[in-house]
């Protein structure tokens, strides 16, 4: 495009006309007005040339369509006129429509743009449900675009084509001379719009950020529910685990200990406010679908609202920055700096801001950096490197505060994935029952109000009716989930993503599948097929055919690409191979467009890539494809090699959940235990093994039995096999466990004198008495023989106590009627300071004694130690267990002397009076490490009891160091207001694991780090 004509040497100004297809008449008007402008301004020295894609574009290949148009015509234009009515156009992968990308591109280059929005009525045929749905989506995205311009753009509205012509004539007369007149020409400025100053640039960046993050598609797609809603309309405040615990609270021997508060769930505001007063970084951990990204969006938008920033602990306006960590790419010299990657993110969103601006902003006092999705980096070594990069950025920008999110499987200190920067971790909790109800009420209201109102009639009345429908739907599903028969669904409803899927299905079908797998299955079928069919629209491909294509592609991304985004051309090539095998084939480009625009499963990511709208859908289909590939020779061996890689955890769980053939499960277990991968499993791998056994719909134990009873099986594998059989827990599985013990095949070497069992089947090991130097007094203390529980009390055993109180254990109630127990409890409580008053505060013994974390999936698995139990509740448990055996005081909490002797007494040196070992295990093993104890947050939570044989005492007492602190019988000191605990927990440093270390807590405390272990006097025991 030339800048001057040859006849009069007038300067040519190229004016881009950008618009979607619904304003064709206005495009013609603009073309005419621009082309004839010079007739009325012959002395201006300017001549305007309208630039439209249909007149200035030409055929070309090698890039996306909008990318070609940008190079051919958009980048050469001097200014633009944007015209919009009811459409925003087709998503380009960079912007929601071509016209939007064009005007944003010119604006980012500092070129002038005038934007016009029509207010004219649109004649919509409401009988065509497909067009209505498309119309609603277009309007919603157009409104989002328009809202994103508020604050730094003067937008113009018109109500008729004649008014548009008049407005455009007037506005061109005002602006063109100012932008491109003689003064500008004299300065030889082609682009006359001045560069943004720092403040204006930051405002532009924040507006772009708000546009990107400001809306939430409630089930992962705006198409699924026909609407996209503002985050503020639907966000339910998540609960995060929060604690004021510090690392100096425990001390050896009689040194003072800092007082302690129990963990409580906190709001996002409370967590951020607390963390940033003490730490520069907040690490947010959540399960798949828990709302990690939604939480970051909430943090971003709330802090961008200057009126709310004080709620999050900031005293002044906040500079907010956001970046998805999966986009962090390593170059020849390593990772770029934070300012450089933020500048690069802006380039992808057609906002040109140099990294020097970001460097300055990050140095300002109130800066918040949100880094999303550490777990989405598939390679463990790369994830470790990214953690180091984050550490460097925290050290470099000392004025900034950082938030990093990850799945728990993606952040594990035991794998070396650790942020060294001073930080606090917060775990996203499942929705409570109240939060579920609030979310559903908000969701249905947004869904029904998101529908198209009638063109005639009382819109206020329509809104009232829609809200009533929403309330009815919400009330119905809440009542459904509250029924006892739907307890398993209620647990799934605690996961925000799954609750959204439930809401989506309930809105149209009032139907909910009964399991996690069936929820994903139903959601996919709904998006790909059912939603269209119920509206009388034939889907592009039937759901089963679409999934025949998508499942292999999902596994291809999982296995070969090892990342969540795929090059568009490569994905379409992969899809085309599969589509060509179907009876009803179609072009892959058309299929992908349908997946983006209608099904909503795919998103155009950047200029050249696709991602699945939610990672869990891709993982689900990858797991389904694993099962389909089972018939291939040797494929089961390939699946086994993926075991233990956290990138594969979810696909493997989805795979095993679809194995409805017990022989396949048996073959998988045989291959797994024949594989080197099971020689030494990490705690995370053991958790996965248990999950696979639990989630398999059909199971056989032949392979497990054969391997367990094989004398050549190693000690580690014996432990893993026993855990699998105990998880299956059927009579035939438990019979194999008994057979193994009877045959004496265990390779565990212990100095065991005698073992006894209580009425629940828990093991107690005889600890021979002796004399030792007690750490507190430095004087000799003598301890008699006693039986000590091999493990701390587990959830499984503690729940039987709660069930007994709730009249669900008739065998125990027959032995000890609940009223008899209640009277004995009151007698016990009357002699203990504070116990009776504590009981009176809650008449229901079930509510009084239930673990505070019984519904918290971080801590509530059967074989995990029970936590959230007060000292009073531990005493009540001991009384119950004793009464079951006919002796009121048979079981007790150990006192500190007994506990210390059991944990570290040197019973192999009986002729000497010595202090206890430093740690429970034999001294030659040395100091704590991650194979001997659960500590230092290596696992991020409690582990099932018995997972650390290397850390057991010589007699075989497990977890005397780490996992949970254990209540003892004693007062902590002479004040007699706090009880003493021993042993250390999963988050403590190594010093807390010493046999002499102590902690003091109020006996009412029900912390997530507190459990208890029981002893039994030797005189009342039988071997």
């Amino acid at each position: 495009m030339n800048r001057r004509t040859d006849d009069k040497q007038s300067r040519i100004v190229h004016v881009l006309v950008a618009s979607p297809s619904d304003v064709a008449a206005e495009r013609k008007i603009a073309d005419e007005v621009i082309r004839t402008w010079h007739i009325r301004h012959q002395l201006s020295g300017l001549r305007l040339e309208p630039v439209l894609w249909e007149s200035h574009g030409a055929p070309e290949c090698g890039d996306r369509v909008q990318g070609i148009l940008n190079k051919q015509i958009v980048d050469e234009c001097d200014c633009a006129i944007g015209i919009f009515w009811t459409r925003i156009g087709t998503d380009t992968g960079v912007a929601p429509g071509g016209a939007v990308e064009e005007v944003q591109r010119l604006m980012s280059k500092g070129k002038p743009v005038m934007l016009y929005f029509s207010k004219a009525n649109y004649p919509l045929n409401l009988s065509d449900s497909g067009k209505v749905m498309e119309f609603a989506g277009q309007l919603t995205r157009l409104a989002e675009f328009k809202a994103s311009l508020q604050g730094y753009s003067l937008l113009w509205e018109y109500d008729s084509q004649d008014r548009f012509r008049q407005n455009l004539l007037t506005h061109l007369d005002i602006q063109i001379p100012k932008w491109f007149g003689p003064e500008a020409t004299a300065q030889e400025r082609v682009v006359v719009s001045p560069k943004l100053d720092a403040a204006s640039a930051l405002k532009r960046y924040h507006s772009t950020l708000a546009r990107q993050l400001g809306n939430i598609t409630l089930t992962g797609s705006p198409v699924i529910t026909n609407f996209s809603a503002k985050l503020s309309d639907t966000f339910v405040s998540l609960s995060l685990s929060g604690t004021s615990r510090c690392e100096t609270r425990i001390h050896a021997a009689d040194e003072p200990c800092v007082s302690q508060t129990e963990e409580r769930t906190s709001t996002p505001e409370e967590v951020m406010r607390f963390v940033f007063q003490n730490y520069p970084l907040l690490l947010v951990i959540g399960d798949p679908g828990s709302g990690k990204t939604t939480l970051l969006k909430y943090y971003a938008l709330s802090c961008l609202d200057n009126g709310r920033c004080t709620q999050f602990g900031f005293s002044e306006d906040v500079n907010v920055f956001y970046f998805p960590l999966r986009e962090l790419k390593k170059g020849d010299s390593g990772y770029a700096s934070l300012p450089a990657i933020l500048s690069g993110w802006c380039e992808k969103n057609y906002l040109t801001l140099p990294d020097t601006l970001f460097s300055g902003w990050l140095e300002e006092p109130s800066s918040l950096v949100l880094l999303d999705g550490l777990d989405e980096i598939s390679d463990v070594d790369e994830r470790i490197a990214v953690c180091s990069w984050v550490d460097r950025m925290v050290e470099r920008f000392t004025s900034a505060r950082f938030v990093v999110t990850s799945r728990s499987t993606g952040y594990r200190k035991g794998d070396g994935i650790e942020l060294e920067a001073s930080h606090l971790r917060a775990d996203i909790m499942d929705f409570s029952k109240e939060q579920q109800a609030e979310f559903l009420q908000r969701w249905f209201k947004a869904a029904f109000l998101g529908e198209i109102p009638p063109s005639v009639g009382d819109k206020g009345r329509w809104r009232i009716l829609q809200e009533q429908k929403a309330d009815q739907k919400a009330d119905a599903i809440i009542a459904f989930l509250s029924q006892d028969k739907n307890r398993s669904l209620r647990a799934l409803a605690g996961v925000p993503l799954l609750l959204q899927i439930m809401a989506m299905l309930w809105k149209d079908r009032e139907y909910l599948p009964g399991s996690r797998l069936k929820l994903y299955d139903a959601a996919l079928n709904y998006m790909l097929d059912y939603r269209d069919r119920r509206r009388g629209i034939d889907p592009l491909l039937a759901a089963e055919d679409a999934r025949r294509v998508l499942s292999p592609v999902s596994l291809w991304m999982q296995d070969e690409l090892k990342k969540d985004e795929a090059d568009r051309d490569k994905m379409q090539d992969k899809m085309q191979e599969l589509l060509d095998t179907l009876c009803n084939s179609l072009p892959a480009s058309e299929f992908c467009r349908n997946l983006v625009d209608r099904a909503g499963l795919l998103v155009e990511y950047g200029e050249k890539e696709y991602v699945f709208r939610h990672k869990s859908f891709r993982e689900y289909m990858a797991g389904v494809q694993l099962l389909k590939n089972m018939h291939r020779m040797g494929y089961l061996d390939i699946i086994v090699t993926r075991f233990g890689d956290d990138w594969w955890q979810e696909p493997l769980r989805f795979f095993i959940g679809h194995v409805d053939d017990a022989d396949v499960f048996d073959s998988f277990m045989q291959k797994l235990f024949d594989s080197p991968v099971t020689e030494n499993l990490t705690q995370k791998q053991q958790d996965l093994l248990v999950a696979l056994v639990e989630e398999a719909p059909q199971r056989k134990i032949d392979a497990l039995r054969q391997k367990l009873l094989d004398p050549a099986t190693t000690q580690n594998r014996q432990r893993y096999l026993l855990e699998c059989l105990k998880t299956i827990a059927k009579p035939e599985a438990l019979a194999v466990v008994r057979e193994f013990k009877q045959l004496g095949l265990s390779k565990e070497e212990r100095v065991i004198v005698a073992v006894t069992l209580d009425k629940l089947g828990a093991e107690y090991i005889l600890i021979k008495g002796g004399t030792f130097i007690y750490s507190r007094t430095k004087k000799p203390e003598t301890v008699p023989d006693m039986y000590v529980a091999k493990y701390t009390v587990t959830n499984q055993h503690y729940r039987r106590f709660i069930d007994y109180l709730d009249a669900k254990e008739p065998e125990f109630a027959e032995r000890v009627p609940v009223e008899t127990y209640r009277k004995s409890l009151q007698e016990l409580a009357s002699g203990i300071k504070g116990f009776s008053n504590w009981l009176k505060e809650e008449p229901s013994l079930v509510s009084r004694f239930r673990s505070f974390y019984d519904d918290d999936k971080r801590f509530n698995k059967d074989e995990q130690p029970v936590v959230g139990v007060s000292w009073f509740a531990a005493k009540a448990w001991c009384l119950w267990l004793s009464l079951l055996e006919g002796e009121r005081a048979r079981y007790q909490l150990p006192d500190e002397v007994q506990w210390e002797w059991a944990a570290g007494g040197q019973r192999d040196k009986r002729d000497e009076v010595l202090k206890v070992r430093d740690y429970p295990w034999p001294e030659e093993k040395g100091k704590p490490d991650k194979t001997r104890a659960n500590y230092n947050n290596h696992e991020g939570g409690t582990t099932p009891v018995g997972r650390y044989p290397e850390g057991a005492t010589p007699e075989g007492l497990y977890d005397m160091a780490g996992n949970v602190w254990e209540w003892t019988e004693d007062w902590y000191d002479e004040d007699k207001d706090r009880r003493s605990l021993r042993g250390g927990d999963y988050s403590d440093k190594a010093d807390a694991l010493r046999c002499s270390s102590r902690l003091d807590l109020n006996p009412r405390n029900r912390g997530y780090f507190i459990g208890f272990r029981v002893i039994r006097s030797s005189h009342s025991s039988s071997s």
Side-chain angles (χ1 to χ4, degrees):
M1 297 179 187
N2 296 320
R3 293 290 169 192
R4 298 184 183 277
T5 61
D6 292 334
D7 51 355
K8 297 183 180 180
Q9 292 295 298
S10 296
R11 179 182 174 189
I12 300 296
V13 177
H14 295 94
V15 184
L16 177 69
V17 180
S19 73
S21 59
D22 60 336
V23 287
E26 283 90 334
R27 285 177 69 82
K28 290 181 180 179
I29 292 171
D31 179 66
E32 176 192 340
V33 170
I34 294 168
R35 197 177 299 280
T36 59
W37 182 85
H38 72 283
I39 297 175
R40 294 180 293 107
H41 299 274
Q42 295 184 11
L43 300 179
S44 67
L46 299 174
R47 191 179 186 92
L48 306 189
E49 180 180 335
V51 178
L52 297 86
W53 72 266
E54 56 265 38
S55 59
H56 287 68
E60 185 178 336
C61 300
D63 197 356
R64 62 194 180 93
V65 173
Q66 189 59 52
I68 293 171
L69 289 174
N70 290 342
K71 288 182 288 186
Q72 285 188 359
I73 62 173
V74 176
D75 291 346
E76 296 299 317
C77 288
D78 300 302
C79 62
I81 294 168
I83 314 166
F84 298 91
W85 184 15
T86 63
R87 295 183 56 81
I88 199 166
T90 301
D91 195 308
T92 67
V94 173
V100 173
E101 181 174 334
E102 289 167 359
V103 298
Q104 286 181 337
R105 190 177 182 90
L106 291 186
M107 290 166 68
S108 72
K109 296 177 180 296
K111 296 183 179 182
V113 174
M114 295 194 300
L115 295 175
Y116 295 84
F117 292 85
S118 173
K119 298 190 297 181
N121 290 328
Y122 184 83
L124 179 65
N125 180 5
L126 295 176
S127 64
D128 189 334
S129 58
K131 289 186 177 180
V132 170
M133 183 170 60
E134 182 185 7
F135 180 76
Q138 288 283 325
L139 272 185
T140 298
R141 290 192 286 279
L142 181 61
E144 293 166 6
F145 169 61
K146 188 175 180 182
S148 73
L149 299 169
Q150 302 294 337
Y152 66 90
S153 300
L154 176 59
L155 311 178
W156 208 265
E157 295 182 337
Y158 64 95
D159 54 17
S160 69
Q161 292 169 7
D162 287 342
R163 183 59 60 89
F164 171 71
R165 179 190 296 274
Q166 296 170 13
N167 290 339
L168 184 58
L169 280 167
T170 301
H171 297 157
L172 288 176
D173 288 351
I174 294 171
Q175 299 288 42
I176 292 299
K178 183 168 62 176
W179 289 340
F180 304 103
E183 183 180 351
T185 303
Q187 298 172 12
E188 296 183 346
R189 294 173 61 193
V190 177
V191 178
V192 300
S193 182
K195 295 286 185 181
L196 291 173
D197 58 38
S200 298
L202 182 60
K203 189 173 183 180
R204 180 75 61 84
Y205 169 72
H206 281 165
S207 296
T208 302
L209 201 59
R211 184 178 70 250
Q212 292 287 337
L213 306 180
N215 291 279
I216 181 171
T217 50
L218 294 181
T219 54
S221 164
V223 184
I224 295 173
T225 53
N226 308 340
F227 73 99
S228 173
K230 289 183 179 180
L231 183 70
S232 57
D233 291 339
T234 56
F235 182 75
V236 172
S237 184
L238 296 166
S239 296
L240 291 90
S241 63
T243 173
S244 58
R245 303 175 68 203
C246 68
E247 299 298 342
T248 59
R249 70 191 189 286
I250 57 90
H251 296 274
D254 57 350
E255 295 179 22
C257 180
V258 178
S259 62
Q260 188 67 78
T261 61
E262 65 184 76
E263 185 201 50
R264 62 188 179 91
T265 58
S266 306
T267 66
E269 292 86 347
E270 290 171 336
V271 170
M272 181 174 280
R273 195 162 58 240
F274 170 77
V275 171
F276 289 163
Q277 287 174 355
N278 302 278
Y279 306 91
L281 189 148
L282 167 63
L283 173 65
V284 176
I285 299 295
D287 289 334
S290 62
K292 300 179 291 296
T293 298
T294 302
L295 177 64
L296 278 200
K297 289 182 176 183
Y298 177 72
Y299 275 147
L301 297 172
S302 298
C303 291
L304 285 173
D305 181 353
N306 294 329
R308 293 197 60 200
C309 62
T310 55
Q311 298 175 24
F312 296 84
F314 294 96
S315 58
E316 53 187 302
D317 295 354
V318 184
N319 297 340
V320 180
F321 307 96
Y322 170 84
F323 186 76
L325 285 172
R326 68 165 175 256
E327 293 186 14
L328 185 61
K329 307 300 180 186
K330 183 182 290 186
D332 294 337
S333 57
Y335 296 110
S337 67
L338 179 58
I341 67 161
L342 292 173
S343 177
W345 183 89
C346 288
E347 286 288 342
K348 288 186 176 182
N349 289 276
Y350 286 97
L351 180 63
T352 304
L353 297 175
D355 55 7
T356 51
L357 279 177
F358 285 100
S359 295
W361 294 331
L362 286 164
E363 297 286 2
E364 293 178 6
S366 292
S367 293
L368 176 62
V369 181
L370 305 170
L371 302 174
D372 193 22
L374 178 65
D375 60 284
E376 294 182 24
I377 301 167
S378 62
D379 183 76
V380 171
D381 291 334
E382 188 176 348
R383 213 177 309 146
I384 293 171
V386 170
C387 285
S388 298
W389 176 84
V390 173
D391 291 333
R392 292 195 299 274
M393 295 305 104
V394 173
E395 184 178 2
R396 166 67 180 82
F397 297 103
T398 55
S399 297
R401 294 294 179 263
F402 291 75
V403 181
V404 177
T405 67
S406 177
R407 289 183 179 180
S408 57
T409 54
Y411 183 86
R412 182 175 173 274
K413 292 175 71 173
D415 291 334
I417 303 167
E418 180 179 4
L419 291 165
E420 297 289 347
S422 179
H423 70 277
L424 191 100
R425 166 176 168 162
D427 290 76
I428 297 179
M429 312 293 288
D430 280 359
F431 272 165
S432 66
K433 185 178 179 180
E434 293 74 22
Q435 287 171 316
Q436 292 174 26
E438 182 186 355
F439 174 83
L440 291 167
Q441 289 159 353
R442 285 173 170 263
W443 192 96
F444 282 107
K445 181 178 179 180
F448 279 96
L449 292 180
E451 296 177 356
I452 302 297
S455 56
V456 295
D458 186 343
K459 288 184 173 56
R461 176 62 179 166
W462 173 85
R463 181 181 179 89
I464 292 172
L465 293 174
Q466 292 297 95
E467 289 180 346
Q468 289 175 351
K469 291 179 184 178
D471 290 342
Q472 291 168 1
K473 288 283 187 179
D475 291 344
I477 189 174
I478 291 168
F480 181 84
L481 290 171
S482 298
Q483 297 174 18
D484 286 341
K485 66 180 182 180
N486 297 320
R487 285 189 66 183
S488 60
L489 272 177
R490 194 158 61 244
L492 293 175
V495 180
L497 175 64
L498 297 183
L499 186 60
Q500 293 170 31
I501 293 174
M502 290 180 186
M504 171 191 75
L505 295 173
W506 190 269
K507 180 176 183 287
D508 285 340
R509 304 169 68 181
E510 294 198 356
Y511 154 78
L512 293 182
S515 70
R516 176 172 176 257
L517 262 67
K518 290 178 180 178
L519 272 174
Y520 279 105
D521 185 70
L524 283 168
N525 288 338
Y526 180 87
M527 289 185 279
L528 292 168
D529 189 325
Y530 177 82
R531 176 183 52 80
D532 280 348
R533 289 190 189 277
R534 70 181 295 275
R535 289 172 170 81
I537 304 169
D538 289 332
L540 191 65
L541 272 184
E544 57 268 27
D545 281 343
R547 291 172 67 164
R548 288 185 179 108
V549 175
L550 289 169
S551 291
V553 168
S554 297
L555 184 57
W556 167 71
M557 293 175 68
Q558 178 75 25
D559 196 19
E560 296 185 34
L561 299 187
K562 295 181 173 61
K563 58 181 183 177
D564 290 315
E565 58 273 7
D567 180 85
R568 293 185 198 175
D569 292 336
K570 290 180 180 178
M571 180 182 275
Q572 289 188 13
D573 289 344
K574 190 75 176 176
M575 285 181 170
Q576 196 64 61
E577 295 175 13
L578 298 159
L579 287 164
D580 289 343
T581 67
L582 300 177
C583 295
N584 299 313
S585 183
L586 71 157
S589 58
E590 187 178 346
F591 181 55
C592 286
R593 177 52 51 198
N594 181 74
L595 293 173
V596 171
D597 290 346
R598 291 197 59 76
L601 268 179
L602 286 185
V603 175
E604 291 175 325
Y605 188 71
E607 294 190 24
K608 297 183 178 181
E609 292 178 317
Y610 289 122
V611 295
F612 276 83
R613 181 77 66 167
H614 198 285
K615 181 176 181 174
S616 292
F617 285 116
R618 181 186 61 73
E619 291 173 319
Y620 173 84
M621 287 188 286
V624 170
Q625 190 61 34
L626 286 176
L627 185 64
K628 290 183 178 180
N629 291 353
M630 280 281 297
H631 67 279
R632 301 179 184 177
M633 184 69 69
Y635 199 79
L636 192 55
D637 296 289
I638 295 174
I639 294 176
V640 166
T641 64
R642 309 301 188 219
F643 180 85
D645 182 343
D646 56 68
W647 176 249
W648 282 90
Q649 175 160 319
E650 288 299 301
L652 284 177
R653 288 182 62 192
F654 287 127
F655 156 73
I656 204 72
H658 282 91
V659 174
D660 55 2
D661 185 333
D663 288 327
V664 173
F665 174 84
D666 202 47
S667 297
F668 177 76
M669 285 296 161
Q670 181 178 343
K671 297 271 187 191
L672 184 62
F673 280 100
D674 284 342
S675 166
V677 74
T678 52
E679 179 53 43
N680 188 18
L681 298 180
T682 64
Q683 298 299 321
K684 180 177 63 178
Q685 290 169 333
Q686 292 178 63
D687 289 341
L688 176 59
L689 177 61
V690 170
L692 295 181
V693 173
E694 289 175 336
E695 294 172 10
Q698 287 187 281
R699 302 171 295 197
K700 284 177 67 174
I701 65 168
D702 295 4
L704 297 174
R705 180 182 184 278
Q706 179 183 358
K707 198 70 178 177
L708 181 63
L709 300 184
D710 182 352
T713 299
T714 63
Q715 179 184 337
N716 279 347
R717 284 200 178 99
Q718 286 181 342
R719 287 195 301 108
Y720 310 147
L721 288 159
L722 287 168
E723 191 162 13
C724 288
L725 289 163
K726 291 177 181 177
T727 300
I728 294 173
K730 290 188 175 181
E732 59 269 26
L734 299 179
V736 175
V737 175
R738 290 194 297 271
E739 184 180 1
F740 170 76
K741 291 181 179 179
Q742 290 165 1
L743 292 173
L745 293 173
S746 175
K747 295 183 178 180
E748 193 174 7
E749 297 180 3
R750 298 297 177 209
V751 186
I752 299 178
V753 179
V755 176
T756 189
L757 304 177
D758 64 21
K759 291 298 181 184
L760 303 178
E763 294 182 50
Y764 293 74
I765 295 173
L766 179 61
I767 301 299
K768 299 295 289 183
T771 303
F772 73 107
I773 302 299
Y774 181 42
S775 62
R776 288 196 65 196
T777 62
K778 307 299 188 293
K779 295 179 181 179
E781 292 281 356
T782 299
V783 181
D785 292 356
M786 59 181 169
Y787 279 87
V788 180
K790 184 176 182 179
Y791 309 118
T792 50
V793 176
T794 63
N795 285 309
Q796 184 179 47
H797 286 166
Y798 192 79
R799 286 187 187 118
R800 296 200 67 183
F801 170 50
I802 300 302
D803 286 345
Y804 159 80
L805 296 173
D806 202 22
K808 296 177 181 178
E809 288 279 2
E811 180 184 346
F812 292 154
E814 184 176 351
R815 184 181 294 269
V816 181
V818 174
E819 277 307 308
T820 300
Y821 172 74
R822 187 184 291 271
K823 290 177 182 178
S824 298
L825 179 64
Q826 290 169 346
E827 291 175 13
L828 173 69
S830 65
I832 298 175
K833 179 182 176 182
F835 201 164
S836 293
N837 289 336
W838 182 79
L839 282 175
K840 292 175 183 176
E841 292 170 9
E842 172 54 69
S844 167
L845 292 183
V846 172
S847 300
R848 180 75 290 186
F849 291 134
R850 190 192 304 275
S851 162
F852 190 72
Y853 296 92
D854 191 54
D855 293 326
D856 189 332
K857 65 185 178 185
R858 297 176 301 162
F859 303 110
N860 68 0
K861 296 181 180 64
D862 280 352
E863 294 302 315
Q864 284 179 288
V866 65
V867 295
V869 174
S870 70
W871 183 89
F872 297 130
K875 289 291 290 181
W877 157 275
C878 291
L879 173 64
W880 173 68
L881 202 57
S882 298
L883 291 174
L884 287 179
E885 298 190 8
E887 294 184 26
R888 180 165 171 164
R890 175 173 287 190
Y891 294 94
Q892 293 287 343
L893 295 175
D895 61 34
E896 288 196 79
V897 172
Q898 290 170 324
W899 193 98
E900 192 169 312
W901 171 251
Q906 301 192 58
R907 288 173 284 279
D908 56 332
K909 302 174 182 178
R910 304 189 68 83
D911 295 335
E912 303 176 69
V913 179
L914 304 169
K915 67 178 184 177
V916 297
R917 296 184 298 273
D918 286 342
Y919 303 101
W921 49 85
E923 288 182 323
E924 59 268 21
K925 291 188 176 182
K927 294 182 177 181
D929 67 21
K930 63 184 180 181
T931 69
R932 298 188 188 108
N934 180 13
Y935 74 106
N936 198 31
N937 258 323
H938 285 306
E939 303 304 325
T942 61
T943 49
V945 299
R947 283 282 184 85
Y948 293 88
E950 288 298 309
T953 68
E955 295 87 354
L957 301 179
Y958 280 75
D959 304 319
M960 297 293 281
N963 219 19
V964 292
W965 284 96
E966 300 176 17
W967 286 117
T968 71
E969 184 72 21
D970 292 341
W971 293 108
Y972 182 77
D973 54 29
E974 294 180 359
D975 291 341
K976 293 188 177 182
D977 57 357
R978 303 172 76 79
R979 296 286 178 174
S980 180
L981 299 92
R982 294 292 190 113
D985 70 55
Y986 69 85
S987 68
D988 281 313
K989 302 296 185 183
D991 276 353
L993 276 57
R994 293 181 180 276
C995 295
S996 58
S997 293
R998 309 171 69 218
L999 174 68
D1000 67 310
L1001 287 175
N1002 188 301
R1004 293 170 168 265
N1005 195 298
R1006 297 193 293 168
Y1008 63 96
F1009 52 93
I1010 304 169
F1012 67 100
R1013 186 188 303 263
V1014 175
I1015 65 169
R1016 173 177 175 168
S1017 59
S1018 62
H1019 67 80
S1020 60
S1021 306
S1022 58
S1023 301

